[in-house]
Amino acid sequence: MRLTVTPERRGILQRVRCPRIPGKPLTPRSAEKMTMPLHTPVRPLRLRRENHSIALPDGIEILTERATVDDFLSVNSLHHRTSLDSLYSRYQSARRELTEADWRHFTEAHRGLTWVTRPATDASTVIAVTQVMFAEDQGTGELSILVDDTWQSRGLGTELARHALSQARLLGLRAVTVMTGRDNNRMIRICRFFGGRVTGENSHVVDFSLPVD
């Protein structure tokens, strides 16, 4: 699918785009992922864009749905609002925005599942992006979550991980892996909450494997 940027959208991009900050690839593994052989999911993907409603502990309702290429501008607006610390915890680089090619890659069904989350009362604002991308090992996915700073520490990350794991189960995946910064205590707590075990670590990052079943 080709993402077309109309003159109107191009004007929006020019107004909201932040200067790019040179850094590492999108993730330490992204260069491999762009060229690795693609794996067919164990079970067929459901491509319907259905809302998944979640009530946070404070009573606020949020809606999560399958992402499409049309979410590109809203997702980049999320990146522009997010602190560099949060971006680095997600990407292991100071990545202020995604390119159109990045977002097409993330929304192609044969590469994995990507969801966007919005407050139920504000359909125009994306506050989180969750992804389960198919890994090189058949039956394994790679889970990542980016949450708007103002929505962190409210139970949202835990609920998004729960939803992602349930969808990974429907696809027949056996496990999902998570790579996060060693100082990303929120994600580390989420991994441990869902029974994740450490599979690798160094001075900067820690790898977890979370069971799906």
Side-chain angles (χ1 to χ4, degrees):
M1 181 180 295
R2 181 177 179 82
L3 177 63
T4 301
V5 179
T6 64
E8 179 183 359
R9 285 189 171 181
R10 186 175 294 109
I12 296 174
L13 277 171
Q14 290 170 348
R15 290 196 295 273
V16 303
R17 179 167 289 155
C18 295
R20 291 183 68 89
I21 299 177
K24 300 176 184 178
L26 186 59
T27 70
R29 301 188 182 104
S30 60
E32 289 182 28
K33 291 181 189 175
M34 295 294 185
T35 57
M36 73 168 59
L38 299 179
H39 295 280
T40 303
V42 178
R43 299 173 189 168
L45 291 174
R46 300 179 186 178
L47 299 181
R48 288 180 296 175
R49 185 170 165 128
E50 298 176 340
N51 283 337
H52 173 67
S53 177
I54 300 173
L56 299 181
D58 58 10
I60 294 179
E61 183 184 5
I62 61 168
L63 299 176
T64 296
E65 63 183 355
R66 283 290 305 273
T68 72
V69 291
D70 292 333
D71 296 312
F72 174 66
L73 294 178
S74 297
V75 169
N76 260 349
S77 293
L78 165 64
H79 283 71
H80 298 157
R81 298 191 309 270
T82 303
S83 68
L84 289 178
D85 286 343
S86 294
L87 291 170
Y88 194 89
S89 293
R90 162 62 182 90
Y91 296 111
Q92 305 308 303
S93 68
R95 190 64 181 263
R96 269 299 188 189
E97 61 182 28
L98 302 178
T99 67
E100 294 175 16
D102 293 334
W103 189 239
R104 282 197 302 270
H105 170 84
F106 286 144
T107 55
E108 289 174 348
H110 60 284
R111 297 187 184 275
L113 297 174
T114 297
W115 299 270
V116 290
T117 298
R118 299 176 173 88
T121 57
D122 184 4
S124 65
T125 302
V126 171
I127 60 172
V129 176
T130 309
Q131 294 166 308
V132 175
M133 306 303 289
F134 300 131
E136 188 172 2
D137 296 331
Q138 190 79 22
T140 302
E142 295 181 1
L143 170 65
S144 62
I145 303 173
L146 178 66
V147 177
D148 189 316
D149 289 16
T150 60
W151 287 83
Q152 294 179 12
S153 299
R154 300 172 65 173
L156 177 56
T158 299
E159 293 304 322
L160 293 177
R162 190 191 312 277
H163 177 251
L165 289 171
S166 70
Q167 296 301 299
R169 185 180 303 114
L170 292 176
L171 292 178
L173 297 181
R174 302 186 307 272
V176 297
T177 62
V178 173
M179 181 176 65
T180 189
R182 288 188 64 87
D183 58 351
N184 189 354
N185 294 322
R186 294 184 184 90
M187 194 64 190
I188 290 173
R189 284 196 296 269
I190 290 172
C191 290
R192 289 175 174 163
F193 178 80
F194 288 106
R197 60 181 179 85
V198 175
T199 58
E201 56 185 323
N202 57 37
S203 59
H204 301 292
V205 300
V206 57
D207 292 328
F208 284 92
S209 176
L210 281 62
V212 169
D213 52 8

